[in-house]
Amino acid sequence: MENSIAFERALVALVAERVENSDLSHSEFGRRIFGEESGSRLWRSCRDATRPRRILLAEAHRMAELLGMDFPTMIWQFTQEAKARGLI
């Protein structure tokens, strides 16, 4: 279980980095992933270091699509990157 939580935290951190290097703001990214009404708040809560919100598989899939990646490739690339950085 600890590994899966560490992976999820690493995934959120790596997605956040990609968002910062894109043309999207974090608020816009959140709205596109979680919905217009509370999307930016939910994405902010996912990135919260003290009490992070867990992400659903469907949300991670939408994140991959929005970042221009297919889901299996994103998971594989981010796993390799997280291991190389010692995040997992």
Side-chain angles (χ1 to χ4, degrees), residues 5-14 46-48 52-54:
I5 293 171
F7 175 76
E8 185 175 292
R9 297 295 86 219
L11 177 72
V12 168
L14 294 170
C46 289
R47 294 178 288 133
D48 185 328
R53 177 192 179 275
R54 306 289 305 271

Side-chain angles (χ1 to χ4, degrees), residues 50-78:
T50 57
R51 278 190 65 208
R53 177 192 179 275
R54 306 289 305 271
I55 59 171
L56 302 175
L57 188 59
E59 295 164 346
H61 187 269
R62 284 193 299 272
M63 289 176 189
E65 288 180 340
L66 193 53
L67 294 173
M69 306 171 85
D70 65 274
F71 184 69
T73 300
M74 182 185 81
I75 295 300
W76 185 84
Q77 283 181 356
F78 284 12

Side-chain angles (χ1 to χ4, degrees), residues 3-58:
N3 253 359
S4 62
I5 293 171
F7 175 76
E8 185 175 292
R9 297 295 86 219
L11 177 72
V12 168
L14 294 170
V15 167
E17 282 182 19
R18 298 284 168 92
V19 171
E20 289 166 6
N21 294 326
S22 74
D23 292 336
L24 287 175
S25 68
H26 281 289
S27 294
E28 179 62 24
F29 182 81
R31 285 190 292 272
R32 290 189 187 184
I33 298 301
F34 301 105
E36 193 64 38
E37 193 164 310
S38 57
S40 59
R41 180 185 56 78
L42 290 174
W43 177 232
R44 190 172 37 258
S45 69
C46 289
R47 294 178 288 133
D48 185 328
T50 57
R51 278 190 65 208
R53 177 192 179 275
R54 306 289 305 271
I55 59 171
L56 302 175
L57 188 59

